[in-house]
Amino acid sequence: MDNATGLMSNAGPQRFKPRPEMPLPPDQTPSSQTRLASGHFEVKMEPQPAGPETAAVEGSGTQLGRMLLHKRFDGDLQGTGEGQMLTAVSDTPGSAGYVAIERFVGTLHGRTGSFVFQHSGQMDRGAQQLAISVVPGSGSGELAGLAGRFVLRIENGQHLYDFDYTL
């Protein structure tokens, strides 16, 4: 299981495919001023107690879960990410889904502020799709007006990112 997503991962480099059905919102369309931020992050996931609403429904085998996320970003993003993740892991091997909201606080290419990432990921028998974008209007401080997409890849067990953004 991958600690960044709660989904299963294979050994070796992985690049999650963007979800084509989830285009950027109108205020996040790419422009000639799109910049790229790259680096790596560490993540700690803290499972939360299961309640009766998370138990598998008889006959379905799908288990629901909730986790707290704690991240430390290095590279062009310097700071921390804190958030919550909801997961659904089915009894079909390699099939699961998650959504998460994560607040980043720190700097982006030297500009200080905060913003919120929205995550949506799924695996269908090992085929992975992941969309992570900035929640419109969530930027503060010198990051007010930020828009962008975050792409995660895992190489040799390390979580790397490319973040295309406009500001």
Side-chain angles (χ1 to χ4, degrees):
M1 178 142 330
D2 175 39
N3 286 337
T5 62
L7 303 178
M8 302 301 284
S9 64
N10 298 324
Q14 295 178 329
R15 187 163 186 104
F16 293 91
K17 293 182 264 178
R19 295 179 67 185
E21 70 276 11
M22 293 187 67
L24 284 172
D27 66 340
Q28 293 190 17
T29 55
S31 73
S32 61
Q33 299 192 14
T34 298
R35 294 195 59 191
L36 174 65
S38 298
H40 65 278
F41 65 92
E42 295 177 6
V43 62
K44 177 183 173 195
M45 298 177 61
E46 186 180 332
Q48 296 302 290
E53 69 280 0
T54 63
V57 174
E58 187 175 330
S60 84
T62 300
Q63 181 69 44
L64 303 181
R66 184 171 69 90
M67 298 185 201
L68 297 181
L69 302 173
H70 309 283
K71 292 183 181 176
R72 176 77 192 151
F73 289 88
D74 287 304
D76 297 325
L77 277 171
Q78 292 279 327
T80 58
E82 300 288 333
Q84 292 194 36
M85 171 190 289
L86 299 176
T87 63
V89 180
S90 86
D91 58 356
T92 302
S95 296
Y98 91 95
V99 295
I101 294 292
E102 169 189 358
R103 180 184 315 277
F104 171 84
V105 177
T107 62
L108 170 59
H109 280 134
R111 293 177 179 232
T112 301
S114 68
F115 60 89
V116 176
F117 281 126
Q118 178 176 331
H119 303 233
S120 178
Q122 62 180 206
M123 283 182 29
D124 184 0
R125 294 172 178 82
Q128 301 173 350
Q129 292 185 347
L130 180 61
I132 305 174
S133 60
V134 174
V135 172
S138 67
S140 70
E142 294 177 301
L143 300 178
L146 179 72
R149 267 194 200 181
F150 185 94
V151 177
L152 138 70
R153 65 187 188 283
I154 301 169
E155 294 178 5
N156 300 318
Q158 186 173 29
H159 295 88
L160 306 172
Y161 67 85
D162 291 315
F163 180 38
D164 291 307
Y165 72 93
T166 59
L167 187 59

